[in-house]
Amino acid sequence: MENGGGGGGKSDVPADANEHCPGTQSEDAGKADACAGCPNQQICATAPKGPDPDLVGIVERMATVKHKILVLSGKGGVGKSTFSAQLSFALAEMDCQVGLLDIDICGPSIPKMLGLEGQDIHQSNLGWSPVYVESNLGVMSIGFMLPNPDDAVIWRGPRKNGLIKQFLKDVDWGEIDYLVVDAPPGTSDEHISIVQYLQATGIDGAIIVTTPQQVSLIDVRKEINFCKKVGVPILGVVENMSGLRQSLSDFRFVKPGDAGETDATEWALNYIKERAPELLTMVACSEVFDSSKGGAEKMCNEMGVPFLGKVPMDPQLCKAAEEGRSCFVDQKCSASAPALKSIVKKLIKNQD
């Protein structure tokens, strides 16, 4: 909902606040007439007001981080964490010092996607030490703190916010070039907190990940408006799963029948090999999601935000994410790796 005159563009007004919201730092927060029925009312009424003393510690800790990038999505399941992981791998392979911070408190998938499941956080006199994939790629996630990876994290907003603050204040990243922050989908407590805590340290901006269909773009528009409202620059939008691209030789073929499907892969590949072997070197393309209305690129033109590019749906990229490895180290991700690399290069060029 858009805030009216009361919110007036304040950076401490939540995206889902009522009209005429007094702001989360106001003495009237959670108590004013305008707060009645607001989903944030209880949090605002009980949260401490005024300057946060921990912000000084966050500013000092973030002074060693050159660039801070948020990776956001309006809807879950669009490949945001996969993109965050591969962005971090790509930056590290460019000899940058990289940190990847997972603030998806209830659904931390970054440890899996970086091949770090079962790792623990260690403390030193300098703070919490990230878990390292390589010497120049460190990771921090609540996933490292769960005794059992199947444990559900059932936390209310203040506790989530407290952990995010602790990550920013206590993790010893050292001197790094990039901190990539993988946020949960939507515009909730975690997003308000990360923006509020990092704003004083300088946020380079946000990358927003979407899929081509309207059901995803509807929520991305909200995410873009959230960024504009809280003053976070939008580095660009990535259209993920932009059509399926797969080598014909990797397809599985089935023959439908009254009794069900019969696997015909071996027969089909032998048939092609005998009669049209050149087809086995080709890549098959298919539109999985409806992009007839222009997809993310058209939306970016309409909303005046940069479009970074498209990443096709690539089964090999999905496999790389499942196995916790970079898609850039071999030629297996031939459909997605070049597209991702192009986006990363464009991102770096725009920041120079």
Side-chain angles (χ1 to χ4, degrees):
M1 181 183 292
E2 291 292 330
N3 292 307
K10 296 178 184 177
S11 62
D12 64 337
V13 174
D16 57 350
N18 286 354
E19 190 176 9
H20 307 303
C21 170
T24 58
Q25 293 302 308
S26 168
E27 290 297 327
D28 294 326
K31 303 171 186 174
D33 291 342
C35 300
C38 177
N40 308 296
Q41 184 176 13
Q42 184 177 2
I43 296 172
C44 291
T46 57
K49 308 299 186 294
D52 188 338
D54 286 330
L55 289 180
V56 175
I58 292 173
V59 169
E60 291 175 353
R61 185 67 80 178
M62 291 293 111
T64 62
V65 179
K66 290 181 184 176
H67 301 287
K68 305 164 197 75
I69 298 174
L70 307 181
V71 182
L72 310 174
S73 69
K75 187 175 289 297
V78 299
K80 170 188 56 60
S81 294
T82 299
F83 179 82
S84 296
Q86 297 303 325
L87 170 62
S88 301
F89 277 129
L91 292 170
E93 288 174 20
M94 292 177 179
D95 291 328
C96 297
Q97 299 292 325
V98 184
L100 174 54
L101 176 59
D102 180 6
I103 63 165
D104 193 342
I105 307 299
C106 295
S109 52
I110 288 299
K112 171 73 173 176
M113 292 185 175
L114 274 292
L116 297 174
E117 286 183 297
Q119 298 292 319
D120 296 319
I121 297 171
H122 299 286
Q123 285 187 304
S124 70
N125 58 342
L126 296 176
W128 288 354
S129 298
V131 178
Y132 284 90
V133 184
E134 303 287 348
S135 60
N136 64 335
L137 175 52
V139 180
M140 182 56 65
S141 169
I142 191 177
F144 300 135
M145 302 176 176
L146 301 177
N148 185 328
D150 295 333
D151 287 346
V153 180
I154 308 172
W155 289 3
R156 293 187 184 276
R159 195 170 176 191
K160 292 180 183 178
N161 299 344
L163 181 61
I164 292 170
K165 181 190 290 184
Q166 195 165 10
F167 278 157
L168 295 174
K169 182 171 64 77
D170 292 345
V171 176
D172 177 31
W173 297 104
E175 298 275 348
I176 61 173
D177 299 301
Y178 290 93
L179 179 64
V180 177
V181 181
D182 184 54
T187 54
S188 56
D189 288 326
E190 293 93 328
H191 306 81
I192 297 168
S193 294
I194 196 72
V195 170
Q196 182 181 359
Y197 297 148
L198 282 183
Q199 217 139 35
T201 75
I203 304 173
D204 288 65
I207 299 170
I208 303 174
V209 181
T210 184
T211 45
Q213 78 277 35
Q214 289 298 308
V215 73
S216 178
L217 295 174
I218 287 169
D219 288 336
V220 169
R221 291 174 183 272
K222 297 183 179 76
E223 199 80 32
I224 290 171
N225 286 326
F226 167 81
C227 290
K228 290 179 177 179
K229 186 172 291 186
V230 299
V232 174
I234 299 169
L235 300 177
V237 175
V238 173
E239 183 178 284
N240 197 26
M241 306 185 198
S242 184
L244 172 68
R245 276 166 173 63
Q246 187 173 4
S247 170
L248 195 65
S249 60
D250 290 335
F251 271 85
R252 176 174 172 262
F253 296 85
V254 295
K255 184 177 181 180
D258 294 338
E261 294 179 344
T262 304
D263 188 282
T265 304
E266 185 177 357
W267 173 85
L269 291 177
N270 285 335
Y271 188 90
I272 295 171
K273 187 175 181 179
E274 290 172 7
R275 288 169 171 76
E278 62 275 11
L279 288 178
L280 295 176
T281 64
M282 300 186 73
V283 173
C285 306
S286 175
E287 292 297 320
V288 178
F289 298 112
D290 179 18
S291 58
S292 60
K293 295 188 177 179
E297 189 169 10
K298 182 181 178 184
M299 180 204 66
C300 287
N301 290 333
E302 292 171 350
M303 300 194 74
V305 298
F307 179 65
L308 290 175
K310 301 179 180 182
V311 180
M313 183 179 287
D314 179 359
Q316 290 296 330
L317 176 60
C318 299
K319 189 174 181 181
E322 283 289 302
E323 295 175 355
R325 57 180 173 82
S326 168
C327 73
F328 306 106
V329 294
D330 52 37
Q331 302 301 312
K332 292 180 180 178
C333 299
S334 57
S336 56
L340 284 164
K341 194 160 283 187
S342 174
I343 289 169
V344 174
K345 286 181 178 177
K346 189 183 296 187
L347 182 67
I348 298 237
K349 183 179 178 181
N350 292 344
Q351 290 190 303
D352 288 341

